[in-house]
């Protein structure tokens, strides 16, 4: 199959698509002819701009305001996507946030916010999307954007590491539940990627982190997007329940 046509006629829903890795995945899939539905949390102007960028690539695109951590809001988004696009073929659970602190400094709210946004959101969206995919009887793909923090743990990120490790357990359990219906579920665990999430890191901390990356650099959102596109594509139909670290060799 021509790679550029890989996703023609398919619709993929991405959470947190207005910037960073989510936006890059949306653009990569649209370049391969996918129609894109994406959620955004608060920046309506950024979301509208991405919607236009996607439409300029010749695909259908629609942004939906929703807090991915809100169960009812997530169900409503999936209902609206079905009404607007007719069918759904894939989901990327990308919405995420950090609130880095040492455990002894961490407040209950820091724990709850990070677990809700990174992990409960995955339950919220996946539940609604799996119900729809089962009804459609055409299989589908779910991709969870975890992190190497969920694989090896990072100091100052007990909340985030727990949430991202939780995503990995969720990925493997759901993969086993839905494999017989032709639905694949995988996790992508990026290392350090240049986005708003990492731009606040101090020069000193960045230099220290770089020493731990064999390839000697941070990754880009586009690099992650290309791997995501592969895992969502027909070329990856025989891969499920896997965690792929894209981290310049950090976890080896
Ligand atoms: P980012 O901060 O640029 O983007 C995060 C996205 O999530 C934004 O679009 C934001 O609006 C959305 N979001 C946050 N809270 C939300 C909520 N409650 N409801 C809906 N959307 C919400 O960061 P990014 O680097 O693009 O991160 C994307 C994903 O990749 C996240 O899950 C993050 O944990 C993961 N990740 C990032 C890195 C990195 O180094 N940048 C590394 C590993 C994993």
């Amino acid at each position: 199959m021509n790679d550029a046509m890989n996703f023609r006629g398919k619709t993929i829903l991405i959470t947190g698509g207005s910037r960073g890795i989510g936006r890059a995945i949306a653009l990569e899939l649209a370049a391969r002819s996918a129609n894109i539905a994406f959620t955004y949390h608060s920046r309506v102007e950024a979301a509208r701009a991405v919607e236009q960028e996607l439409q300029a690539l010749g695909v259908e695109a629609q942004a939906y305001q929703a807090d991915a951590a809100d169960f009812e809001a997530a169900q409503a988004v999936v209902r609206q996507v079905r009404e607007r696009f007719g069918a759904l073929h894939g989901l990327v659970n990308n919405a995420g946030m950090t609130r880095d602190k040492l455990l002894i400094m961490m407040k209950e709210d820091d724990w709850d916010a990070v677990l809700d946004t990174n992990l409960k959101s995955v339950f919220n969206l996946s539940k609604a999307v799996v119900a729809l995919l089962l009804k459609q009887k055409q299989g589908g793909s779910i991709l969870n954007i975890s992190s190497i923090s969920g694989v090896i743990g990072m100091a100052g990120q007990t909340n985030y590491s727990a949430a991202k490790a939780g995503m990995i357990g969720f990925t493997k359990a759901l993969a086993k539940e839905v494999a017989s219906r032709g639905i694949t579920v995988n996790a992508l665990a990026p290392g350090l990627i240049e986005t708003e999430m990492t731009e606040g890191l101090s020069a000193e901390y960045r230099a220290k982190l770089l020493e731990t990356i064999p390839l000697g650099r941070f990754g880009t959102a586009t690099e992650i997007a290309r791997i995501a596109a592969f895992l969502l594509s027909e070329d990856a139909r025989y891969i499920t329940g896997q965690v792929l670290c894209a981290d310049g060799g950090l976890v080896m």
Side-chain angles (χ1 to χ4, degrees):
M1 187 189 292
N2 180 341
D3 206 35
M5 299 297 174
N6 237 346
F7 291 87
R8 183 167 295 283
K10 293 193 172 171
T11 299
I12 310 290
L13 171 61
I14 304 165
T15 62
S18 61
R19 68 173 199 242
I21 291 171
R23 171 177 169 272
I25 293 173
L27 288 168
E28 186 64 34
L29 294 175
R32 299 176 192 214
S33 306
N35 295 322
I36 305 292
F38 69 94
T39 70
Y40 65 98
H41 190 224
S42 46
R43 297 189 198 173
V44 61
E45 280 169 24
R48 295 286 165 246
V50 173
E51 218 177 46
Q52 284 171 13
E53 277 183 284
L54 295 167
Q55 287 162 354
L57 292 169
V59 302
E60 292 186 47
Q62 178 82 50
Y64 300 88
Q65 193 287 322
D67 180 349
D70 179 333
F71 181 79
E72 289 306 331
Q75 312 311 298
V77 165
V78 176
R79 274 198 302 275
Q80 290 171 64
V81 169
R82 184 175 50 79
E83 282 161 20
R84 163 77 168 76
F85 292 90
L88 187 62
H89 305 88
L91 166 68
V92 183
N93 283 306
N94 166 77
M97 63 174 299
T98 51
R99 277 205 205 167
D100 296 356
K101 278 168 199 164
L102 294 175
L103 180 66
I104 50 165
M105 306 297 287
M106 195 175 285
K107 302 219 162 51
E108 187 183 1
D109 183 56
D110 297 322
W111 176 268
D112 289 344
V114 168
L115 268 288
D116 284 354
T117 301
N118 291 280
L119 186 56
K120 188 177 177 226
S121 62
V122 177
F123 165 74
N124 293 345
L125 271 300
S126 302
K127 185 170 159 63
V129 167
V130 165
L132 180 55
L133 294 178
L134 292 176
K135 210 164 150 190
Q136 292 175 175
K137 295 191 167 79
Q138 290 175 2
S141 332
I142 296 177
L143 180 63
N144 296 321
I145 307 300
S146 176
S147 165
I148 58 160
S149 192
V151 179
I152 56 172
M154 293 280 197
Q157 292 194 322
T158 50
N159 50 1
Y160 186 74
S161 298
K164 294 302 192 185
M167 285 176 86
I168 291 171
F170 181 99
T171 298
K172 293 179 180 183
L174 183 60
K176 287 178 178 165
E177 282 187 26
V178 297
S180 66
R181 311 299 179 93
I183 302 169
T184 64
V185 189
N186 290 291
L188 177 49
L192 288 140
I193 310 302
E194 302 278 11
T195 66
E196 280 187 41
M197 189 173 271
T198 47
E199 73 183 5
L201 299 176
S202 71
E204 194 187 0
Y205 188 57
R206 286 173 81 93
K208 208 170 130 193
L209 287 172
L210 276 178
E211 283 173 20
T212 67
I213 304 173
L215 285 179
R217 63 175 177 85
F218 282 21
T220 68
T222 301
E223 287 176 308
I224 297 303
R226 292 193 178 142
I227 300 163
F230 166 68
L231 288 172
L232 291 161
S233 77
E234 287 301 313
D235 293 338
R237 293 314 298 164
Y238 205 52
I239 300 175
T240 197
Q242 300 303 304
V243 185
L244 180 57
C245 292
D247 61 355
L250 197 157
V251 174
M252 221 193 271

